[in-house]
Amino acid sequence: MLIKKPADIRTSEITSQDNYLNRRAFIRAGSIAGASMLAGPAFSAMVPDKRRAKLAGVSSSDFSTDEAANSYEDITTYNNYYEFGTAKDDPYHNATDFESRPWSVTVDGHADKTGTFHFEDFIKPFDLEERIYRMRCVEAWSMVIPWVGISLADVVKHYQPTSQAKYVAFETLHDPVRMSGQRRRVLDWPYREGLTIAEATNPLAILAVGVYGETLPNQNGAPIRLVVPWKYGFKGIKGIVRISFVDKKPRTSWNMATPREYGFYANVNPEVDHPRWSQARERRIGAGLFTPKQATLMYNGYGEQVAHLYDGLDLHKNF
Ligand code: MTE
């Protein structure tokens, strides 16, 4: 993955927690007027109005962190989505015209229920929850993002995987006409990711369909992407079109590209350096140039919920 120079560091302010908590209250009250009032003009500039829609019926979650969330601007202008270019602001510029509807998701492999579903039907059986998660990128920066999503564990259970299903594999849309970055072979398209069944059914894992109470912006993976907050960001595959229950460890994009640098597990682990840089500390996007980096926490601070998944596994070998 490319690393950015200090000159690329964004200095915009983090949304204050008070403001953000106010925003959450508005979201719960279903007040569109309230939300856009708080948001101000900069909020709408990041994503065209025609692509924005408020999500109804979103409940809050005990899994949310109390840390201040990053601004909508940070979240929508500093992205990795190589289907739309490799620079951090490429997805913001190049994904604006991407039409993410109609969209369908195929579920296949070792499961009792399989099929291809319209996105709207795919998410209908599940509850929408806001999950404010700390996110840590392998490039040693982090953000706090108020996702709206559905529980991946609920999705897995719904499709009834058989005992042969040991892993869940995910694939992004492959459409070089609509995704300009796919015209270059920077990765072996389509983008692929995978989790063990135990990881996929951990209560923390979600499929996100929104951010800040609204539908997911294109640059963040519209209409549906994976969020696994105890792993490095690259596991969070965007623009998902296929979910497969498989018996063998699936191939994953960054592992295929540079296996020495990116493993299958990709758990946030300050003790295992990336071959080219330390993972001990991280820079919080939006915190300002002069704010010192903060210590990276094992499993990104979610150890209580997930450490047991890796009991007995040598995390230096299984990175
Ligand atoms: N998904 C696809 N399809 N293509 C990508 O290039 N980049 C990954 C991940 N998901 C990527 C992807 C990486 S490296 C990161 S850090 C996160 O998306 C960033 O998600 P965000 O832009 O919403 O913060």
Side-chain angles (χ1 to χ4, degrees):
M1 249 165 269
L2 306 174
I3 322 174
K4 286 282 154 185
K5 305 178 292 295
D8 299 314
I9 296 170
R10 182 168 300 284
T11 52
S12 53
E13 290 300 305
I14 290 180
T15 307
S16 79
Q17 193 171 355
D18 279 358
N19 258 354
Y20 185 56
L21 291 176
N22 282 343
R23 176 186 295 288
R24 293 183 79 194
F26 274 118
I27 289 166
R28 271 199 292 275
S31 163
I32 293 174
S36 49
M37 202 173 66
L38 265 181
F43 188 83
S44 47
M46 304 308 135
V47 177
D49 279 349
K50 64 172 180 179
R51 304 221 181 274
R52 295 179 47 199
K54 202 172 141 26
L55 291 164
V58 180
S59 58
S60 56
S61 161
D62 292 344
F63 289 121
S64 289
T65 172
D66 285 337
E67 284 175 65
N70 276 85
S71 68
Y72 190 82
E73 181 184 350
D74 290 338
I75 294 168
T76 55
T77 57
Y78 195 89
N79 303 100
N80 279 332
Y81 198 175
Y82 279 22
E83 284 82 342
F84 293 103
T86 54
K88 290 286 178 284
D89 59 350
D90 278 349
Y92 157 55
H93 291 296
N94 300 338
T96 315
D97 295 330
F98 179 71
E99 293 292 348
S100 69
R101 307 291 195 286
W103 190 270
S104 55
V105 179
T106 297
V107 180
D108 58 14
H110 299 295
D112 286 345
K113 280 203 229 167
T114 54
T116 296
F117 309 89
H118 287 302
F119 165 70
E120 289 74 15
D121 296 332
F122 178 79
I123 64 165
K124 204 180 279 171
F126 310 107
D127 294 333
L128 282 183
E129 262 187 38
E130 184 182 63
R131 302 275 189 104
I132 308 170
Y133 279 159
R134 281 184 297 276
M135 305 299 297
R136 170 61 157 79
C137 179
V138 76
E139 296 160 332
W141 50 266
S142 62
M143 288 201 211
V144 174
I145 303 188
W147 300 112
V148 176
I150 57 178
S151 151
L152 180 58
D154 288 352
V155 173
V156 169
K157 275 180 215 136
H158 182 84
Y159 289 95
Q160 299 167 16
T162 67
S163 58
Q164 276 176 285
K166 307 287 185 224
Y167 298 89
V168 187
F170 302 85
E171 254 178 49
T172 297
L173 176 72
H174 187 202
D175 188 343
V177 174
R178 291 160 69 201
M179 295 176 139
S180 52
Q182 285 180 339
R183 291 173 217 153
R184 293 172 55 213
R185 286 192 57 89
V186 277
L187 286 172
D188 185 356
W189 311 110
Y191 197 96
R192 285 162 253 223
E193 258 310 332
L195 297 173
T196 64
I197 281 277
E199 292 174 330
T201 51
N202 182 277
L204 282 181
I206 58 169
L207 290 174
V209 298
V211 74
Y212 266 116
E214 297 189 355
T215 46
L216 205 58
N218 284 339
Q219 52 267 52
N220 296 94
I224 186 162
R225 56 89 55 84
L226 180 65
V227 173
V228 270
W230 70 96
K231 292 180 181 276
Y232 292 120
F234 66 90
K235 295 297 279 187
I237 180 171
K238 297 173 171 177
I240 295 170
V241 292
R242 183 180 298 276
I243 299 176
S244 308
F245 293 102
V246 295
D247 54 358
K248 297 200 177 58
K249 193 184 277 182
R251 302 183 75 203
T252 61
S253 283
W254 280 103
N255 183 252
M256 286 158 67
T258 20
R260 239 176 46 79
E261 300 191 0
Y262 306 106
F264 174 80
Y265 283 97
N267 289 319
V268 175
N269 187 345
E271 288 164 20
V272 176
D273 287 345
H274 182 281
R276 291 185 280 138
W277 62 85
S278 161
Q279 292 292 14
R281 305 185 74 72
E282 67 197 49
R283 174 174 62 83
R284 181 61 56 84
I285 297 295
L289 269 178
F290 302 106
T291 305
K293 288 185 175 180
Q294 59 191 70
T296 285
L297 301 173
M298 187 67 198
Y299 299 116
N300 203 22
Y302 294 100
E304 205 181 310
Q305 290 89 356
V306 301
H308 68 276
L309 297 173
Y310 310 102
D311 278 350
L313 209 64
D314 179 344
L315 297 179
H316 286 84
K317 279 191 194 139
N318 298 283
F319 58 89

